[in-house]
Amino acid sequence: MQLRLIGTGGTIASRSTPAGRVASVGVKELLETALVFPVPERARVTCDEIGLRASFALGLPDLAHLAGAVGQSLAEGADGVVITHGTDSMEETAFALALVHDDDRPIVLTGAQRPADDPAADGPRNLAAALTWAAHPAARRHGVSAVFDGAVWPAIGLRKTDTLAPAAFGAPGRGPLARVDDGRVRLIGRPPRPAALISADDLGRLPRVDVVPLYVGCDTALLDAAVAAGARGVVLCAFGAGNAPPEVTEAVGRLVADGIAVAVASRVPIGATSAAYGAGGGADLLRAGAVFASDLSPWQLRLLLAAALHRTAGQGPAGAAEATRTWLTDAGHQTG
């Protein structure tokens, strides 16, 4: 069993300085600290350092570079890949990798809420659990997942649910895939896994898609600004199950007619979107040409819509909407 461990930085690799926490711990040192916890003896781990950065500083070219490193690791014969990563954007990186990963071998992300020099650092145990899961036969065909505080979460639907607590992640509305405790894996569920939508190289050239929040008293200013800045798609972080003020809904109809794709997520942490209300609500948004994308966070939906636009270049908003719905249906998500 050959595992590749890829380090990208984040809190798990950080130490405290007078100027704040800074990523400075190499991935080989992280591995040494993890080996005090149970890790499968049959797993041979090789390391690859591709960055020491906070995840809030990453961009799409960085995700493309990481996806390329993952692909190279698999091409060289790795049976699985584990990635240490910052928690701030882990849900987006995990989802981006799920959009491009089309192999049975597992990709597993993990990190930490406390820096490496904290007396109660959580990184070593999280990394040991991630290696244990990656080496387990059941991890195959799961695609991309994240291991944190003993829980294994699917990449699709992953969210950071607590800013500071060790149990930082969840998949609201779903349960974990498995639990990892003291080197033992307890399986819980296996959701459907969709095929890759784009290639790893495509991540670096996705079209611009912006997220626009909706709130009491909002108008179309942010929507108009996104389009003026060159966005080819917009995700509405909408009220409730997917509703918008009538003025915004009217603008959505104009944008779709002009070739701008619009997708709808909810600003509510748990629950799916639903095109149920008229008078400017979800039913009118659907009629205006917006696509409702289940219960993905706005941040993951942004990546999915951008990938769908790239995949269906030249087919307009309708093509991107259909690609979005199809991919989510294959992932076991009900769409509007």
Side-chain angles (χ1 to χ4, degrees), residues 96-113:
L97 292 173
L99 288 171
V100 307
H101 183 48
D102 205 9
D103 190 292
D104 283 348
R105 290 169 287 182
I107 299 174
V108 184
L109 290 87
T110 194
Q113 289 283 74

Side-chain angles (χ1 to χ4, degrees), residues 238-244 249 264-266 272-288 290-294 334-336:
F239 292 100
N243 301 306
T249 301
V264 180
S266 176
T273 52
S274 175
Y277 289 88
D284 289 338
L285 283 171
L286 188 64
R287 282 189 285 269
V291 58
F292 282 64
S294 186
Q334 183 178 359
T335 63

Side-chain angles (χ1 to χ4, degrees), residues 112-306:
Q113 289 283 74
R114 303 177 184 127
D117 57 356
D118 190 288
D122 55 331
R125 185 181 291 275
N126 284 343
L127 179 52
L131 293 167
T132 298
W133 169 243
H136 195 278
R140 292 184 68 88
R141 298 185 301 279
H142 266 297
V144 184
S145 58
V147 173
F148 227 90
D149 196 41
V152 182
W153 300 102
I156 302 172
L158 180 70
R159 296 198 193 196
K160 187 172 183 180
T161 56
D162 197 296
T163 58
L164 298 175
F169 287 89
R174 307 175 188 84
L177 302 174
R179 297 285 310 185
V180 182
D181 300 298
D182 295 326
R184 296 185 298 272
V185 173
R186 177 167 54 89
L187 301 177
I188 297 173
R190 182 188 289 275
R193 180 189 171 195
L197 185 60
I198 55 174
S199 72
D201 290 341
D202 292 332
L203 281 175
R205 47 179 181 259
L206 294 181
R208 177 170 180 154
V209 173
D210 287 335
V211 177
V212 173
L214 302 185
Y215 48 88
V216 172
C218 69
D219 55 21
T220 66
L222 295 180
L223 199 60
D224 297 336
V227 175
R232 287 182 50 202
V234 175
V235 171
L236 298 181
C237 185
F239 292 100
N243 301 306
E247 181 182 2
V248 171
T249 301
E250 291 174 8
V252 167
R254 294 193 298 271
L255 293 183
V256 172
D258 289 339
I260 305 299
V262 179
V264 180
S266 176
R267 65 184 203 172
V268 181
I270 300 175
T273 52
S274 175
Y277 289 88
D284 289 338
L285 283 171
L286 188 64
R287 282 189 285 269
V291 58
F292 282 64
S294 186
D295 60 351
L296 288 187
S297 70
W299 331 117
Q300 290 197 343
L301 180 53
R302 167 185 169 266
L303 289 168
L304 175 56
L305 184 60

